[in-house]
Amino acid sequence: MGKIYYLFGKSASGKDSLYRELIRDPSLGLTPVVLYTTRPMRRGERDGVDYHFVTDKEMQTYVREGRIIEMRTYETVQGLWTYAMVDDGNWDAEEDYLAEGVLASYCSTREYFGAARVVPLYIEVEDGERLQRALDRERRQPVPQYSEMCRRFLADQADFSPEKLQEAGIGHAYCNGELAACVRELKTVILAGRKCAE
């Protein structure tokens, strides 16, 4: 049975960078899980690669068709943004996947596929460093949304509380203070998991 390695953490914890490094490593052979979202595309993002950017109407069609694996909606300063993992009929039970999201999406994915198939990879970064990263990223946008950045930072404190992490059975975090070191650690975990499955 293939695994779904699920990267999750607070905003600006480096999930996107870690995801890119792991997905392009041929020794891991991971298939990317591309989420669907109704949020606007950021500068440098590509439709179908970073996310499937869809309208609210399209997202509701997936809901009506019962194709949603996990879905979450955030009330942002720019309106409601929805993110979802959609069952598009291409899931292979023998393949290993890499997904990314937040604690709630990890829990929903684990519930859908079963705990034996979904492997948690919880990423942590010291809050001051994470805030600086978020600020640097926002400054690079054509129209920075600092209020949304702050909303996300504060919401993460509640969404990733110690109680919620404990309730989800998350007992280990991978520190992303230095990208290359974190990639090496995650790669070791994934390769070890594959050997155990053989």
Side-chain angles (χ1 to χ4, degrees):
M1 176 178 64
K3 302 282 188 187
I4 300 168
Y5 293 93
Y6 208 106
L7 275 171
F8 61 98
K10 297 175 182 176
S11 59
S13 61
K15 297 183 303 291
D16 293 347
S17 297
L18 290 166
Y19 185 93
R20 281 191 296 272
E21 292 294 320
L22 294 171
I23 207 70
R24 69 180 173 205
D25 187 327
S27 72
L28 299 176
L30 297 169
T31 299
V33 174
V34 181
L35 297 179
Y36 289 69
T37 186
T38 61
R39 80 153 167 76
M41 191 183 305
R42 290 182 185 145
R43 183 174 166 179
E45 289 182 326
R46 294 170 294 163
D47 187 36
V49 175
D50 299 290
Y51 290 96
H52 295 289
F53 294 93
V54 297
T55 64
D56 289 318
K57 186 176 179 180
E58 289 170 309
M59 191 69 81
Q60 288 309 309
T61 298
Y62 303 141
V63 172
R64 280 194 311 277
E65 293 172 350
R67 296 170 57 194
I68 300 297
I69 294 169
E70 68 87 9
M71 185 169 78
R72 59 211 182 275
T73 301
Y74 299 102
E75 187 173 333
T76 77
V77 296
Q78 293 182 302
L80 296 177
W81 291 352
T82 298
Y83 295 81
M85 188 182 293
V86 177
D87 188 345
D88 57 9
N90 292 321
W91 289 91
D92 184 334
E94 299 305 315
E95 211 161 323
D96 287 331
Y97 292 89
L98 183 64
E100 72 171 298
V102 296
L103 179 61
S105 62
Y106 158 73
C107 291
S108 297
T109 302
R110 182 185 62 190
E111 186 175 317
Y112 186 89
F113 288 104
R117 186 156 186 216
V118 184
V119 179
L121 302 173
Y122 173 48
I123 309 302
E124 271 191 341
V125 173
E126 186 273 325
D127 280 344
E129 174 65 22
R130 197 168 58 80
L131 184 57
Q132 187 62 57
R133 289 180 185 182
L135 183 58
D136 292 343
R137 180 176 68 187
E138 204 58 42
R139 281 185 173 143
R140 292 191 298 270
Q141 299 303 313
V143 181
Q145 301 292 326
Y146 296 116
S147 54
E148 173 56 22
M149 180 201 78
C150 292
R151 183 206 65 79
R152 289 180 67 194
F153 186 86
L154 294 173
D156 282 339
Q157 299 308 104
D159 294 344
F160 288 86
S161 70
E163 296 79 18
K164 287 186 179 178
L165 288 167
Q166 183 178 12
E167 189 177 299
I170 305 304
H172 181 76
Y174 300 91
C175 178
N176 188 19
E178 198 274 310
L179 182 67
C182 191
V183 168
R184 284 192 300 273
E185 186 177 11
L186 293 172
K187 182 176 173 178
T188 299
V189 169
I190 293 167
L191 291 173
R194 189 166 291 157
K195 284 180 186 171
C196 289
E198 291 174 351

